Amino acid sequence: MRYIVLLALLYSSTCTAQQAAPKPLFDDPIYHGAADPVVVYNKQQKCWWMLYTNRRASINDTTVAWVHGTRIGIAESRDGIHWTYKDTAHINYHPDKEYTFWAPDIVEHKGIYHMYLTYVPGIFRDWNHPREIVHLTSKDLVNWSLGSVLELASHKIIDASIIKLSDTSWKMFYNNEKGGKAIYTATSNDLYHWTDKGKEQTIGRGEGPKIFRWQDKYFLIVDIW
């Protein structure tokens, strides 16, 4: 199991010097297993929100059940440095009695937040089970309604990451576990309908892709196996 520790040096609008973020940046108070964070600005609350996989790291388990049965936690911050636990997201999609949420990614477009979430239909002691990417929408980042279950390369896919290319064009990177743990892509003109584009040939086996744009360049970070 891999953990990612995010260290940030942030400028505050009220400070002239850089402030080092605490290490760890945030510790989930419920299970102490925060992972897979996405940070988005909450326009209604006028602060930053972090949504993350709430892994059950503190339970007594010698299998991988502890990384299942997870909900999406929420923490908030006014400055990006100090984070406070708030709640778990209310996700109106869990057709199975037991279920697992992993690795949210969120984009905002025209007042609507769009979440792309890995859904696992149960709490399992091994890795040999289906995983889907589902599309949900929200106006407040708390209450989420199902848009659709995406039809992509297989029914064992995880870790969606979305980048906006224009007002009518988005691209998704994700891990297709059935495709040899390869990174695949899909495109959309409206965030609701996606066309799978197959394997990204320039990347080897890996997971957890994160795509972003900075100083007129696109950057893709992948946990390479």
Side-chain angles (χ1 to χ4, degrees):
M1 192 58 57
R2 295 169 171 83
Y3 292 90
I4 297 174
V5 177
L6 176 64
L7 305 179
L9 289 175
L10 302 173
Y11 275 111
S12 169
S13 61
T14 59
C15 298
T16 59
Q18 282 186 331
Q19 298 181 43
K23 303 182 285 289
L25 182 68
F26 172 74
D27 176 30
D28 172 74
I30 309 302
Y31 291 116
H32 305 285
D36 307 327
V38 58
V39 176
V40 60
Y41 189 70
N42 187 321
K43 293 182 178 180
Q44 292 176 321
Q45 300 297 323
K46 300 187 186 306
C47 63
W48 295 100
W49 275 26
M50 179 194 302
L51 282 81
Y52 60 92
T53 307
N54 193 4
R55 286 181 173 172
R56 301 181 298 155
S58 60
I59 71 171
N60 184 19
D61 173 56
T62 59
T63 68
V64 295
W66 69 279
V67 302
H68 292 81
T70 52
R71 303 296 177 259
I72 300 303
I74 302 173
E76 69 175 9
S77 175
R78 298 288 174 181
D79 58 10
I81 298 175
H82 306 97
W83 292 86
T84 303
Y85 177 79
K86 188 170 181 65
D87 201 349
T88 55
H90 304 154
I91 296 175
N92 189 22
Y93 180 73
H94 35 82
D96 303 278
K97 183 177 180 180
E98 294 184 328
Y99 55 92
T100 297
F101 298 143
W102 285 342
D105 196 37
I106 297 172
V107 296
E108 186 268 340
H109 182 61
K110 295 183 178 180
I112 301 294
Y113 297 101
H114 298 258
M115 179 192 292
Y116 297 87
L117 180 70
T118 301
Y119 177 81
V120 186
I123 300 174
F124 302 113
R125 298 168 64 89
D126 58 51
W127 303 111
N128 303 317
H129 301 277
R131 313 189 234 288
E132 308 281 0
I133 293 175
V134 299
H135 171 219
L136 305 119
T137 58
S138 174
K139 290 186 177 181
D140 61 9
L141 289 169
V142 176
N143 302 288
W144 295 88
S145 299
L146 178 68
S148 65
V149 178
L150 274 56
E151 291 293 332
L152 298 174
S154 76
H155 294 285
K156 199 171 184 183
I157 54 178
I158 61 173
D159 298 345
S161 181
I162 316 299
I163 188 73
K164 180 180 179 179
L165 302 178
S166 71
D167 284 341
T168 58
S169 179
W170 289 264
K171 187 170 185 177
M172 174 190 298
F173 292 77
Y174 69 95
N175 174 223
N176 179 14
E177 296 189 300
K178 281 286 190 181
K181 291 295 292 182
I183 302 302
Y184 278 53
T185 65
T187 58
S188 175
N189 293 327
D190 60 6
L191 291 170
Y192 290 88
H193 306 91
W194 290 86
T195 301
D196 197 85
K197 296 297 183 179
K199 182 179 179 180
E200 187 67 30
Q201 298 295 334
T202 59
I203 305 172
R205 300 177 72 229
E207 64 183 21
K210 286 297 179 182
I211 182 74
F212 62 95
R213 184 175 174 84
W214 182 63
Q215 293 191 352
D216 297 326
K217 291 183 179 180
Y218 293 101
F219 292 81
L220 178 66
I221 300 174
V222 180
D223 181 3
I224 295 293
W225 281 37

